Amino acid sequence: MALQPSLRSLIIAGPIDAPHTLDFFVDYICPYSAKLAKAIETSVKPLIAPKGKYGGKVKVIFRNQVQPWHGSSTFVHEAGLAVARVSPENFWPFSLKLFEVQQEYFDIPASKLTAVQIREKLAKLSAIVLTEEQAAKVNDLLLLKSTPNGGTAVTEELKYTIKYSRQNGIHVSPTVLWDGLVAGDVSSSWGTEEWEKFFEQKVTV
């Protein structure tokens, strides 16, 4: 499916010209999204790696699915997009780390922090996978602009991801698409066996 050039780092596995596309729409603070992300890393990626059974045939695209009923959802997705801009190759490692500590950004823990404090905390988290200089750049990207309602430096990318989900009728996380159609049978609890069966049925080239 379509992806604007500045967000190519959201292709987290497989070659860009792979004939099949697996899109997964996830929210960083959704527990089921965290389970799916772990499965993508441990089960899907090995299957579609260059020497995997389906190497070269499938690409996987991470789709930011902001869930506005969680107050910090916007902030965590901003952080992911900021890392994607500063260090594209570290977007997925940062995403995995953010899923690991997602509970720190749940409603009650986050309610004790201001928006500025949450963004600063996320920038510090990025230093786990980035250099100190890169993490400082992430922090700069998450600063509010000088205009009263101008957002941050990654607001336009955030808008793109939200508009993309809305126009395609994606409402919940996680949601998985195979070649542009919702794959409602996919479960966040799947392991390697289930994913291998899925690819056996779906990969046609």
Side-chain angles (χ1 to χ4, degrees):
M1 294 182 73
L3 187 66
Q4 68 180 32
S6 66
L7 295 177
R8 288 283 172 83
S9 57
L10 302 192
I11 302 174
I12 58 97
I16 192 171
D17 59 349
H20 293 291
T21 302
L22 183 76
D23 294 270
F24 68 111
F25 293 75
V26 287
D27 180 21
Y28 285 119
I29 50 179
C30 165
Y32 296 103
S33 292
K35 288 179 64 177
L36 179 59
K38 185 177 180 179
I40 294 293
E41 177 67 13
T42 61
S43 298
V44 173
K45 287 183 69 176
L47 288 169
I48 66 171
K51 294 184 179 180
K53 185 175 182 180
Y54 301 99
K57 298 182 179 182
V58 181
K59 63 178 173 289
V60 180
I61 303 179
F62 181 107
R63 298 288 185 178
N64 301 77
Q65 180 69 7
V66 177
Q67 302 286 30
W69 46 87
H70 294 305
S72 62
S73 185
T74 292
F75 306 136
V76 293
H77 285 283
E78 284 179 337
L81 292 168
V83 171
R85 185 187 296 187
V86 171
S87 181
E89 67 276 13
N90 282 306
F91 167 74
W92 181 235
F94 173 74
S95 294
L96 290 173
K97 186 60 184 178
L98 186 47
F99 279 121
E100 287 180 16
V101 299
Q102 64 175 195
Q103 292 187 12
E104 296 180 20
Y105 302 93
F106 283 1
D107 295 344
I108 291 178
S111 70
K112 301 175 183 178
L113 302 173
T114 67
V116 171
Q117 289 172 326
I118 293 173
R119 289 184 171 107
E120 290 175 346
K121 183 176 180 177
L122 287 161
K124 290 179 181 178
L125 180 66
S126 73
I128 294 176
V129 299
L130 303 178
T131 65
E132 184 176 340
E133 181 180 356
Q134 289 173 326
K137 290 180 179 179
V138 168
N139 186 70
D140 290 343
L141 290 175
L142 297 179
L143 295 175
L144 293 172
K145 296 179 180 179
S146 57
T147 54
N149 207 28
T152 70
V154 293
T155 294
E156 289 307 311
E157 286 98 329
L158 185 71
K159 287 181 179 179
Y160 171 86
T161 64
I162 292 172
K163 290 176 181 178
Y164 189 87
S165 293
R166 288 177 176 175
Q167 80 166 14
N168 287 290
I170 308 300
H171 300 292
V172 298
S173 66
T175 295
V176 174
L177 273 60
W178 176 260
D179 289 344
L181 297 179
V182 173
D185 55 333
V186 172
S187 171
S188 60
S189 64
W190 279 9
T192 301
E193 181 180 352
E194 291 85 1
W195 277 108
E196 188 160 11
K197 288 181 179 178
F198 177 84
F199 288 137
E200 285 176 358
Q201 296 172 356
K202 299 292 186 179
V203 175
T204 60
V205 294

